[in-house]
Amino acid sequence: MEQKSLFSVISPIMVGPSSSHTAGAVRLGLMARNIYKTDFKKVKFVLYNSFATTGFGHGTDKGLLAGVLGYSVDDASIKNIFEHVIGIDYTYEYIEDISRHPNSVDIIFDDKMTISGDSIGAGEIRINSINGFNVNLNGTYDTLLLMYKDKPGMISTVSDIIQKQKVNIASLHCDRDSKGGIASMYLALDIPVGEDVVKKVQSIEDVFFVTNIRKLK
Amino acid sequence: MAILSFSNLIEKCISQQKTIYEIAAEEEAILAETEVDVVRLKTLENLIAMKDAIKNGLTSKEKSISGWCGDDCAKLLERYKKGHALFGKIFEMISAYALATAEENLRMGRIVACPTAGSCGIVPAVIVAVSEDRKIPESEQVSGLLTAGMVGLIISNKVQLAGAVAGCQAECGVASAMAAAALAQMLGGNVPAVINAAALALKNILGLTCDPVCGLVEVPCVKRNVFLAIHAVTAVELALSGIESKIPLDEIVDTLKITGQLMSPMLKETSLGGLAKTKTAQNLEKDLYKQN
């Protein structure tokens, strides 16, 4: 069991009313922003189950939008976020799907990247999938995420680059759609790596997407 | 080594001749790889945010998105202005501060989740009201909040503090136990008195369900904050007189967890039972969907 901080019970400082439906929504948005890392023109939120049915009264819609725009959970202007957004096309869809977590969302940027996540209580979140690939990111670690053509040796090539930076890998996970198909790998790191590392990983043959995901505050 | 039980905590306090807040700050400093002073400073930041929320809540009548709540604190203050309070100044202040914070929360104001947003009014109301009345210095308030944090942390290591997992006993109930611990500490209680205060508060709120109308953190959550803040004070009065909880806090927490497991899912934040299924709640729900 990973030891919990005292501040897991006396924080976050946040705008209300719900740690799961408001602060959790902002944090899901922030994580999605950290993953996509691109100035977007268009964002669509698909809210599931309790997020869909009680989200209106909890400001979940506002929280998600504020998150993808980089607002922190305690920003008082989240309440009036719709008045602050200029030049971004944002839409919401509401779906009932019991196969999904009660507080679940898909965040779709520019029709290009779909990031799915859940708000699991007390403001804690987890990102479950990125463009259909299974991940498990909760924002507590700086994480290097890459997608590549499945082939032998990729783990050692990547970990070799990271090891040369003297950065400790806290955990490493891989997934793939089929043998020799598209694979994903993410590494939780004790300290963040620089853009030079991202570039090095990007230059590995058959790697087609790399992102350096900063942990949430 | 993490402190996983209250018996473990008491042992550590006795063997090292330290208070709960000292152990709490030291443990957190080790975990966060920082200094005790930094932990206390971060705690102070939370305390200041709590005070800001109270201040904002005391002067606002703005309603929540649903329009159901938001103007009750003003009503309470109006009554007190006329000198109607039954139990005196501290009772007035605790009630008003708990309501002010909980209302600030539902109008999307800035609050501190303690332990959750739905139960955010309880710990601040007790710490701030008593400190103002008794002129307790800020550093002792920080010690109180650290004590509350240690109690909440040990409980949360055993049971997830979410209405969906164990009902409201795990949210407002735990907040009340945290508030009781903070207050007992600030009033000079020793380690057993602090733990007993938390135990008495938690023991007498076991079984509290989570049945919010339409799933919103409003009915009955907002006013419940007032009741559970006062509940904490009752526990402290008993504990400081030397009254002990016959059942130790560790066993009460285990009971809370088991009671949560025994509780029907309909009473755990799903809004499928309890107050959420009353005729009035169903009418409120219809009105809300019209508005949405």
Side-chain angles (χ1 to χ4, degrees):
Chain A
M1 188 180 72
E2 190 137 344
Q3 210 179 325
K4 274 197 273 185
S5 161
L6 188 79
F7 295 106
S8 64
V9 290
I10 44 173
S11 36
I13 300 173
M14 55 171 274
V15 297
S18 164
S19 40
S20 57
H21 285 65
T22 320
V26 177
R27 299 183 89 230
L28 281 164
L30 282 167
M31 269 303 275
R33 173 189 174 87
N34 288 357
I35 294 164
Y36 188 57
K37 284 186 125 113
T38 314
D39 287 330
F40 54 91
K41 286 272 170 294
K42 190 174 163 190
V43 61
K44 181 179 173 184
F45 303 98
V46 184
L47 286 79
Y48 293 89
N49 308 328
S50 174
F51 256 18
T53 52
T54 73
F56 166 69
H58 283 132
T60 305
D61 47 358
K62 294 176 180 175
L64 288 166
L65 182 61
V68 297
L69 294 170
Y71 287 73
S72 61
V73 292
D74 67 339
D75 197 315
S77 50
I78 291 174
K79 190 171 164 176
N80 304 313
I81 187 72
F82 297 141
E83 294 162 24
H84 299 286
V85 183
I86 302 159
I88 287 168
D89 171 18
Y90 59 92
T91 51
Y92 299 93
E93 196 181 320
Y94 302 92
I95 292 178
E96 197 72 44
D97 177 355
I98 52 161
S99 72
R100 298 283 297 251
H101 184 276
N103 301 326
S104 189
V105 65
D106 297 334
I107 302 173
I108 305 155
F109 289 110
D110 296 325
D111 298 317
K112 276 187 198 155
M113 183 178 273
T114 300
I115 297 165
S116 304
D118 306 330
S119 177
I120 58 173
E124 301 297 314
I125 56 118
R126 67 174 170 233
I127 300 291
N128 301 317
S129 86
I130 300 170
N131 281 350
F133 284 97
N134 294 328
V135 293
N136 186 0
L137 309 174
N138 59 16
T140 51
Y141 283 100
D142 289 296
T143 301
L144 190 71
L145 174 97
L146 58 145
M147 294 192 185
Y148 52 97
K149 184 181 176 298
D150 183 43
K151 65 173 190 183
M154 196 57 91
I155 292 174
S156 70
T157 311
V158 172
S159 60
D160 190 48
I161 292 172
I162 290 170
Q163 183 219 319
K164 285 197 176 113
Q165 306 289 319
K166 298 199 167 31
V167 173
N168 188 34
I169 299 171
S171 71
L172 185 157
H173 298 267
C174 295
D175 188 28
R176 64 179 184 189
D177 65 353
S178 62
K179 191 173 176 185
I182 300 170
S184 69
M185 183 193 310
Y186 62 95
L187 306 99
L189 308 169
D190 279 345
I191 48 171
V193 290
E195 284 309 303
D196 52 323
V197 173
V198 175
K199 284 215 179 76
K200 269 184 200 152
V201 174
Q202 206 135 34
S203 67
I204 301 170
E205 202 188 334
D206 291 329
V207 168
F208 51 80
F209 176 77
V210 185
T211 185
N212 198 5
I213 307 165
R214 290 310 305 269
K215 67 177 175 185
L216 294 176
K217 271 193 281 179
Chain B
M1 185 58 203
I3 296 169
L4 295 175
S5 69
F6 288 101
S7 59
N8 192 199
L9 173 67
I10 294 166
E11 224 169 82
K12 206 160 185 168
C13 287
I14 292 169
S15 69
Q16 300 187 12
Q17 294 194 307
K18 281 180 182 156
T19 58
I20 294 170
Y21 64 81
E22 284 169 327
I23 300 277
E26 283 169 17
E27 290 284 322
E28 182 65 23
I30 293 167
L31 182 70
E33 294 173 11
T34 183
E35 304 299 319
V36 163
D37 286 349
V38 176
V39 174
R40 288 190 66 93
L41 193 64
K42 193 171 172 192
T43 309
L44 177 62
E45 281 167 19
N46 283 294
L47 180 68
I48 290 168
M50 288 173 171
K51 290 178 180 179
D52 288 342
I54 290 172
K55 206 158 74 185
N56 293 334
L58 285 175
T59 51
S60 178
K61 282 189 197 174
E62 188 188 326
K63 295 281 196 85
S64 58
I65 297 172
S66 71
W68 299 342
C69 305
D71 56 358
D72 286 335
C73 186
K75 288 178 194 161
L76 197 61
L77 293 174
E78 198 53 42
R79 173 178 163 81
Y80 291 156
K81 232 188 265 169
K82 294 173 191 151
H84 287 316
L86 209 53
F87 285 146
K89 192 72 188 161
I90 288 193
F91 186 93
E92 272 181 29
M93 288 162 78
I94 292 174
S95 306
Y97 290 4
L99 201 47
T101 307
E103 287 191 343
E104 194 56 19
N105 180 50
L106 60 80
R107 58 173 80 97
M108 295 193 81
R110 201 163 167 268
I111 55 92
V112 183
C114 191
T116 60
S119 58
C120 68
I122 297 165
V123 172
V126 172
I127 292 181
V128 178
V130 177
S131 298
E132 282 179 11
D133 190 72
R134 296 285 177 98
K135 309 221 166 7
I136 294 172
E138 199 167 61
S139 69
E140 286 175 36
Q141 298 172 38
V142 169
S143 300
L145 189 51
L146 280 167
T147 309
M150 190 76 232
V151 167
L153 179 64
I154 294 175
I155 299 174
S156 81
N157 277 327
K158 293 193 182 189
V159 55
Q160 207 185 321
L161 305 184
V165 173
C168 194
Q169 52 170 0
E171 294 205 25
C172 286
V174 170
S176 194
M178 291 167 67
L183 183 55
Q185 177 64 55
M186 292 188 330
L187 296 178
N190 58 15
V191 172
V194 170
I195 297 298
N196 266 309
L200 290 167
L202 197 60
K203 190 171 72 174
N204 289 292
I205 205 64
L206 290 174
L208 193 66
T209 64
C210 177
D211 52 0
V213 174
C214 294
L216 299 183
V217 192
E218 298 198 28
V219 181
C221 323
V222 173
K223 299 182 197 91
R224 183 164 292 170
N225 273 262
V226 183
F227 287 87
L228 273 294
I230 297 297
H231 178 79
V233 179
T234 312
V236 173
E237 290 280 24
L238 268 61
L240 290 183
S241 71
I243 296 173
E244 290 176 3
S245 172
K246 286 278 181 285
I247 312 290
L249 185 49
D250 282 318
E251 292 176 39
I252 295 167
V253 176
D254 293 341
T255 306
L256 183 148
K257 184 177 181 174
I258 294 162
T259 305
Q261 288 162 350
L262 292 170
M263 210 180 268
S264 162
M266 294 172 93
L267 298 171
K268 289 189 284 191
E269 217 177 330
T270 55
S271 299
L272 295 170
L275 292 171
K277 271 296 162 207
T278 56
K279 201 172 123 200
T280 300
Q282 284 169 346
N283 288 336
L284 283 171
E285 194 167 358
K286 272 182 219 145
D287 291 345
L288 187 70
Y289 283 128
K290 257 184 247 158
Q291 196 194 127
N292 189 348

